[in-house]
Amino acid sequence: MNAKPLWPPGHTLKLLQKVQRHESLVELVYTSHERWPFPRLPTHPQRRLDTIRISILDSSFNPPTCAHLALANSRPPRYTVKSGFTGSPLASAAELHYDAKLLLLSVRNADKALKSGDATYEQRLEMMYLLSKDMSASVSKSEFAHANVAIAIVDEPTFVGKAVLLRQFLHARILGMYPPATALDRMAISPASDEISIPNPRLVFLLGFDTLIRLLSPRYYASEVAMMDALRLFFSPAGDDCYVVCARRKLVEMEHTVQEEVEAKTLSVAKEFVESERVALISLGTDSVDEQTSSSQVRTKVSLKDKTWKRLVTPSIADYIIQNSLYAS
C-alpha cells in the first residue's frame, strides 16, 4: 500500500493553519467521496432520510492503533438506530451500520499538548488517511457496510464544544448538497413537505474508557453543576442530540468484578444519561484486538526497540512509522 495520501504537498498544513487561526471552525481534510456524509450511492440525497447517523472517532492518533480500527468499525448500539428511513424496507439493513464515519483530530486537546518526539499533526493526518483505507478494507462489501468515511480537523478541546461546531458544519454541508429551489420548485414542493426533507446529523462519539472518564469529570468544567448542565444539553434530543459509545476496558490484571466496579463508579456520574440510553459500553468483539491497546504503548515499545509494537497497529501504519522514523527516541 502507498504510505502517502493522494493530497498535494502542503494541503494539510494550510488547513491546519486555517483552523488554528480561527479562520475556519472545521476543515475536511479527506472524504471517501464528494457527497459525504450521504452514502456514495445513490448519486442524489435519499428522499425521506430524516437523520444521518455519523460516528465520530475523536483521538490524538499518535499513532492510530488496531483498537482505533476496531472501534471505528464497530456497529451502533440498537438505541442509536432510529435512522429515519421512513417506511423503507431498507431500514433493517441500514440500521446495522452508521450512515457515515468521521475521524477527527483536535489541534487543541484538554490533556495532551504536543511534545518532543510526537508525530506532527501533518503526520497524524497521513496516518489517519491510512487508517481510513484500513477501515474500508476490513468491512464487508455489502451496500451499507462500506466505509463512508471522512477526516477532519477542529480546534476545540471539549466534546461539548466539538458537538456544537460539528453540528453547525454538518448542517451547512448537508444543506449545501441540495440545489437552491426555483420559484416553481417552491410552489410545487417545499423542503418541509413529505417528499423532501433535509436530514439532521446525529452525532455518535466513539470513545475509549479513559476518555469517557474525562467527559464525566467535573475538573474539565467550571463546576459540577456546570458539567451536568453542559452534558444535559449535549445529550438532549432538543439540544445537541449526541450519543456516546465507549469500548469496555479489558483490565487484564484485575478480576472481572473489579472491572465492573470501575465501570459502575464512572457511569454512576452519568446515571440519567445511561438510563436514557445516551451512553453505552460495548465490547469490540474480536480476540485479535485488546481494548487496552493504546498509542502510548506503541510509542514506548518503539522507543525501547521492542518489535512487538507492530502487533498493535495495522501493517500500513507500521510501514509509515518505520519509513518516517517515528517514536525512535
Side-chain angles (χ1 to χ4, degrees):
M1 172 181 280
N2 181 10
K4 288 287 185 181
L6 299 179
W7 52 64
H11 171 68
T12 56
L13 180 59
K14 289 178 182 177
L15 297 181
L16 282 163
Q17 289 173 342
K18 283 184 67 176
V19 171
Q20 289 173 322
R21 293 169 182 165
H22 306 291
E23 297 171 3
S24 176
L25 298 177
V26 179
E27 282 291 336
L28 281 179
V29 176
Y30 165 81
T31 59
S32 55
H33 61 93
E34 64 181 7
R35 298 197 62 78
W36 186 93
F38 287 103
R40 187 188 301 269
L41 296 174
T43 304
H44 300 290
Q46 295 191 36
R47 297 298 175 100
R48 305 197 67 177
L49 178 60
D50 300 326
T51 302
I52 299 179
R53 291 173 306 144
I54 304 172
S55 69
I56 300 169
L57 181 54
D58 176 19
S59 178
S60 60
F61 297 105
N62 186 32
T65 68
C66 291
H68 285 121
L69 176 61
L71 188 54
N73 277 343
S74 63
R75 290 188 172 186
R78 62 174 180 80
Y79 58 75
T80 69
V81 159
K82 304 166 186 168
S83 59
F85 282 83
T86 310
S88 170
L90 300 177
S92 58
E95 288 166 355
L96 295 176
H97 306 279
Y98 295 105
D99 301 309
K101 300 177 181 181
L102 179 64
L103 302 177
L104 183 66
L105 178 67
S106 176
V107 295
R108 192 155 46 106
N109 190 295
D111 273 327
K112 302 176 183 178
L114 199 63
K115 301 189 296 292
S116 174
D118 283 347
T120 65
Y121 289 134
E122 295 98 313
Q123 289 171 328
R124 297 186 202 191
L125 289 165
E126 290 181 345
M127 288 190 283
M128 291 164 70
Y129 172 84
L130 296 177
L131 178 64
S132 75
K133 294 304 180 184
D134 291 326
M135 290 164 62
S136 299
S138 60
V139 297
S140 73
K141 302 301 182 183
S142 65
E143 182 179 2
F144 289 100
H146 68 81
N148 182 23
V149 63
I151 299 170
I153 314 167
V154 67
D155 183 15
E156 167 57 46
T158 69
F159 284 97
V160 173
K162 288 169 190 173
V164 173
L165 297 183
L166 287 172
R167 279 175 59 84
Q168 291 174 357
F169 172 81
L170 290 165
H171 273 300
R173 181 172 175 84
I174 290 169
L175 189 61
M177 298 290 180
Y178 292 83
T182 65
L184 287 176
D185 290 332
R186 284 192 292 269
M187 291 173 62
I189 190 170
S190 70
S193 74
D194 289 338
E195 293 299 321
I196 293 180
S197 62
I198 308 298
N200 289 313
R202 174 172 292 155
L203 309 185
V204 183
F205 285 90
L206 308 179
L207 309 182
F209 197 83
D210 290 342
T211 307
L212 179 66
I213 292 174
R214 292 198 295 273
L215 176 67
L216 303 176
S217 174
R219 78 186 191 84
Y220 295 100
Y221 304 84
S223 66
E224 187 167 352
V225 171
M227 178 186 78
M228 294 306 296
D229 287 344
L231 290 175
R232 288 186 181 110
L233 181 63
F234 178 76
F235 288 116
S236 170
D240 294 324
D241 193 24
C242 292
Y243 290 83
V244 163
V245 174
C246 175
R248 291 181 182 273
R249 184 166 52 179
K250 190 182 294 182
L251 303 179
V252 178
E253 298 178 357
M254 294 187 182
E255 296 293 334
H256 183 67
T257 54
V258 176
Q259 176 176 341
E260 290 178 339
E261 289 175 5
V262 172
E263 291 179 357
K265 182 177 180 180
T266 301
L267 295 178
S268 65
V269 178
K271 184 174 182 292
E272 68 180 89
F273 310 122
V274 175
E275 291 178 348
S276 62
E277 297 187 322
R278 290 279 162 167
V279 175
L281 293 180
I282 63 169
S283 295
L284 295 183
T286 173
D287 294 332
S288 61
V289 176
D290 185 348
E291 290 93 330
Q292 202 176 16
T293 297
S294 67
S295 297
S296 60
Q297 282 182 310
V298 177
R299 298 194 301 272
T300 299
K301 286 177 178 288
V302 172
S303 67
L304 295 175
K305 296 180 170 55
D306 180 349
K307 294 184 178 180
T308 61
W309 69 266
K310 294 181 182 179
R311 302 174 190 169
L312 307 180
V313 299
T314 65
S316 64
I317 301 294
D319 288 344
Y320 185 93
I321 291 172
I322 292 170
Q323 291 172 15
N324 291 273
S325 303
L326 295 180
Y327 316 123
S329 59

